Amino acid sequence: IPAPSGAVRQAPPITDAAYLASLKRVTQYYVVTAFLALFIGVMIGPLQALNYGGINLYDNPVVKAILKSYYQGLSLHGVLNALVFTQFFISGWMLYLPVRDLGARINMRFAWFTYILMTAGLLMAAVPLLTNRATLLYTFYPPMQGDALFYIGAAIMVGSSLLVVGQVVLMWWNWKRANPGKVTPLVTFMSVATWMMWSVASLGIVIEVVGMLIPWSLGLYRGVDPLLSKTLFWWTGHAIVYFWVLPAYISWYAFIPRHAGGRTVSEPITRLVFVIFLLNSTPVGIHHQYADPNISNVWKTIHMFLTFMIAVPSLLTAFSVTASLEDAARARGGRGLFGWTLKLPWGNAIFSAQVLAMISFILGGAGGIVNASSSFSPVVHNTAWIPGHFHITVGTATTLSFMGIALWLIPHLTGKRLPSMRVASAAVWTWFVGMMVFALGMHWQGLYGVTRRAQVSATAQDVYRDMPIAIPTALTAISGIILLVSALLYFYVLFRMLLSKRVENGENTPIPYSEAISPAGENLATASPLVRATEPLLALWVLALVLVLLMYGPVLARLLSNLELVPGWRLY
Ligand code: HAS
Ligand code: HEM
């Protein structure tokens, strides 16, 4: 991490060594649990990529001994990668950052209790998943039904994340009371806004699981309405993608400029971006349901426009972060319209992982806008295009960013050293290349109507016989191998680091705060109107809730008035 170029924020020192050690340890537990889940989840990915490459390994005796079906593997892959890895990493990352940013003292017993509860939820859900009694895919749409333990475990896991929300928001609120008239520091602002957004977003899935699926799986209801359940799922299910990507944005705004030797462009604009996400992330979920009946076209269209609007803060981010990279590169002597990019520290895996993640997100974001357009949606919906889209969003923008962050965060938390920057770099570059090839193959296959969530390697000969899909099929298979190599390299570095001895005080690897070209200032009285307008996060939180109720209330009311209860199915 290069030395700061000027006046740069430092985390206020925490003098109580035992408290700091406990805070770091709980964060480390979250992060390591996250990567263990990713390790298992990712090992199944290449089998699926080979499936979309026309190669069926699911009859192999070794694979058969572990996975009962393609769908058990896909359920594990989706749940472990998209739900468990993200939630554990984010819970550690966005608890640790604001606590250090404010130098605050939180109740460590409560923090540990939350981690243990979340892990208990995970273990409960894992039992039916591993024993093929919750082969429901990560969206667990009814009428497919799993064991009650799966839903109860999932509810406990999500519920524990709400305890982290409570702890962080309360800590921030105490800081506000102790510092009247002060502007919330940027990293805390971004973390609190993201947690608030998640609390509003998660309500849909909480109502679905606690109010419908748990009693149904316990036999208390004779059936559930699949459409109502799916609508509640997507209330949470789209906003969750911003819960996955905003923690990466925190790093892109606050820390990446420092890694590159530059500055964050504008703290006020960054705050605006997070406020738009708080308000607008959730009332967009119906773009997943254009094909569903009993939701009027008016609401589908409103959600479509709100979806286009939620691309705006990401576009603001794209320009702001590029400007901060250009600032860094020009300070290192970079020249020309694009030539400056060569001066960026591409050999530093912490940096390159995250900037390659951003580059992949340019393409992923563009694909998202295609998905959101109700006129294009019928072409791509439920095809291989969609996994193509989300492996360059959550599978790269988020995952590769978290992989890069872990390379400085673990040394910071543990005092251990990254064993090899070269191997780490090889891992992150091959991940990027692998995911680009994967996305090309999957988007391309999707355009020919190859369906997602299908064991096409067992049926392709019949169904897709006349389609010219040989090239995208081959690309997908090749990408699976590249990604397997990449994952093995990354986990080798990560686990070697974790298993090595502590060699220094973790504080020697500081939190890489960046200086801002346009800071928000410290006092509200002298701050710009934009800073003052974005400071009252509590009021904005309430507004976000009201907006969601307005945008979902009439849709849910219509579904409730036409309930169609369906008994459970067990397909696999
Ligand atoms: Fe999506 C489906 C629309 C963003 C994840 N999405 C999914 C699914 C997942 C997912 C997991 O409207 C599948 C769900 C399922 O299983 O069925 N998505 C969007 C839109 C956006 C979007 C409009 N998605 C995400 C993010 C995800 C994610 C973020 C995870 C992290 N998505 C959809 C729709 C569907 C969908 C439909 C349903 C499809 C269907 O039919 O089923 C937008 O938020 C995207 C805005 C993004 C941008 C890009 C900004 C670029 C940035 C990087 C800048 C680069 C820099 C580098 C700075 C406008 C910020 C410069 C480099 C230098 C070297 C200088
Ligand atoms: C689904 C491959 C990593 C999240 C899929 C599918 C393939 C695949 C081919 C589509 C399966 C189908 O629709 O039938 C891979 C490979 C990976 C990888 C080769 C890297 C080695 C990841 C990562 C994440 C992720 C890092 C998220 C953090 C998902 C999700 C699904 C999925 C959520 C959808 C599951 C479902 O439809 O229920 N993966 N993946 N994958 N993947 Fe990955």
Side-chain angles (χ1 to χ4, degrees):
I1 296 170
S5 52
V8 81
R9 186 180 162 76
Q10 303 287 338
I14 291 180
T15 45
D16 181 344
Y19 168 68
L20 183 59
S22 179
L23 178 66
K24 285 189 165 185
R25 207 169 312 119
V26 80
T27 309
Q28 191 195 336
Y29 270 65
Y30 272 121
V31 171
V32 172
T33 313
F35 278 105
L36 285 173
L38 185 73
F39 178 65
I40 304 170
V42 153
M43 285 302 127
I44 303 169
L47 292 175
Q48 293 160 189
L50 289 174
N51 165 54
Y52 277 89
I55 302 165
N56 181 9
L57 291 183
Y58 289 80
D59 292 331
N60 176 295
V62 180
V63 177
K64 233 177 171 163
I66 304 168
L67 301 174
K68 295 282 168 295
S69 67
Y70 179 75
Y71 292 99
Q72 189 191 7
L74 190 55
S75 303
L76 280 163
H77 177 81
V79 170
L80 289 173
N81 290 340
L83 304 180
V84 179
F85 164 62
T86 50
Q87 192 186 298
F88 272 83
F89 186 92
I90 292 165
S91 298
W93 172 243
M94 281 197 332
L95 173 69
Y96 186 73
L97 283 183
V99 173
R100 289 306 304 269
D101 197 39
L102 298 181
R105 203 177 173 94
I106 54 165
N107 182 332
M108 284 312 301
R109 275 171 191 245
F110 189 77
W112 278 106
F113 168 75
T114 308
Y115 168 77
I116 291 165
L117 193 66
M118 201 181 283
T119 310
L122 165 63
L123 294 175
M124 282 169 84
V127 173
L129 265 171
L130 290 169
T131 52
N132 198 32
R133 300 185 66 81
T135 295
L136 307 168
L137 307 184
Y138 82 119
T139 41
F140 46 87
Y141 291 150
M144 286 200 295
Q145 193 180 45
D147 278 6
L149 199 60
F150 171 74
Y151 303 109
I152 296 171
I156 293 177
M157 218 183 90
V158 175
S160 338
S161 73
L162 296 178
L163 297 182
V164 188
V165 177
Q167 192 160 30
V168 171
V169 173
L170 191 69
M171 173 193 69
W172 166 73
W173 188 242
N174 287 337
W175 179 88
K176 289 282 295 171
R177 284 198 311 191
N179 296 275
K182 291 271 184 231
V183 174
T184 303
L186 186 66
V187 167
T188 306
F189 186 91
M190 295 189 282
S191 310
V192 171
T194 307
W195 277 126
M196 285 177 167
M197 183 281 287
W198 172 238
S199 70
V200 175
S202 61
L203 286 181
I205 218 169
V206 169
I207 300 170
E208 182 203 5
V209 175
V210 176
M212 295 170 68
L213 302 185
I214 293 178
W216 175 60
S217 61
L218 290 170
L220 302 176
Y221 297 161
R222 67 188 160 84
V224 284
D225 182 318
L227 204 52
L228 175 63
S229 167
K230 192 176 173 188
T231 307
L232 287 167
F233 180 86
W234 287 117
W235 162 325
T236 302
H238 188 77
I240 203 174
V241 311
Y242 302 114
F243 178 57
W244 295 337
V245 90
L246 292 184
Y249 278 18
I250 295 182
S251 173
W252 298 358
Y253 274 113
F255 306 140
I256 272 294
R258 168 81 171 275
H259 288 299
R263 296 167 294 174
T264 302
V265 170
S266 163
E267 291 192 355
I269 297 266
T270 310
R271 290 161 63 99
L272 175 67
V273 163
F274 277 75
V275 166
I276 303 177
F277 274 116
L278 168 58
L279 297 177
N280 192 182
S281 287
T282 313
V284 294
I286 290 172
H287 67 223
H288 288 264
Q289 297 184 272
Y290 292 140
D292 288 355
N294 211 8
I295 298 175
S296 82
N297 281 341
V298 172
W299 283 108
K300 288 178 181 170
T301 309
I302 292 174
H303 279 236
M304 176 174 74
F305 278 108
L306 289 170
T307 307
F308 293 141
M309 280 172 59
I310 198 60
V312 172
S314 287
L315 289 167
L316 287 170
T317 304
F319 288 107
S320 300
V321 177
T322 306
S324 67
L325 294 177
E326 183 173 356
D327 177 59
R330 294 208 185 276
R332 291 160 161 247
R335 302 229 187 294
L337 193 57
F338 297 109
W340 57 266
T341 53
L342 300 174
K343 289 282 177 192
L344 292 169
W346 294 108
N348 175 350
I350 303 171
F351 171 87
S352 54
Q354 297 182 69
V355 177
L356 294 172
M358 295 173 199
I359 293 171
S360 102
F361 193 46
I362 299 176
L363 302 168
I369 293 165
V370 171
N371 303 344
S373 316
S374 58
S375 46
F376 289 136
S377 170
V379 180
V380 298
H381 183 58
N382 278 344
T383 71
W385 170 286
I386 304 298
H389 160 68
F390 61 73
H391 283 80
I392 47 176
T393 51
V394 65
T396 309
T398 299
T399 304
L400 195 52
S401 290
F402 291 179
M403 285 170 151
I405 290 168
L407 300 179
W408 73 260
L409 184 64
I410 290 178
H412 168 80
L413 296 174
T414 60
K416 297 176 179 180
R417 279 215 194 110
L418 180 64
S420 165
M421 186 56 97
R422 283 165 78 98
V423 181
S425 286
V428 305
W429 280 90
T430 46
W431 188 272
F432 174 71
V433 171
M435 278 299 180
M436 286 296 121
V437 177
F438 177 85
L440 180 61
M442 293 295 273
H443 279 92
W444 193 341
Q445 293 198 45
L447 290 179
Y448 281 104
V450 175
T451 49
R452 67 181 285 200
R453 296 181 154 175
Q455 198 176 355
V456 285
S457 55
T459 54
Q461 286 76 358
D462 309 330
V463 182
Y464 303 111
R465 195 179 36 218
D466 301 326
M467 302 246 181
I469 52 170
I471 299 174
T473 304
L475 287 174
T476 311
I478 293 166
S479 73
I481 306 298
I482 303 175
L483 285 163
L484 177 63
V485 172
S486 163
L488 291 175
L489 290 173
Y490 184 78
F491 284 108
Y492 165 74
V493 171
L494 188 82
F495 292 135
R496 225 185 108 183
M497 173 160 62
L498 284 166
L499 296 174
S500 67
K501 284 209 164 64
R502 176 191 159 94
V503 288
E504 60 189 359
N505 181 346
E507 295 296 295
N508 291 348
T509 305
I511 300 178
Y513 281 107
S514 312
E515 188 187 341
I517 298 175
S518 185
E522 284 196 6
N523 295 312
L524 276 173
T526 51
S528 70
L530 183 54
V531 171
R532 270 181 282 148
T534 48
E535 185 64 20
L537 279 174
L538 274 186
L540 292 163
W541 193 11
V542 174
L543 184 60
L545 188 62
V546 171
L547 278 176
V548 179
L549 294 178
L550 284 176
M551 293 301 135
Y552 265 105
V555 177
L556 292 172
R558 174 158 155 178
L559 290 170
L560 280 166
S561 64
N562 291 299
L563 275 188
E564 197 69 63
L565 300 185
V566 175
W569 296 350
R570 288 193 185 237
L571 296 179
Y572 297 98

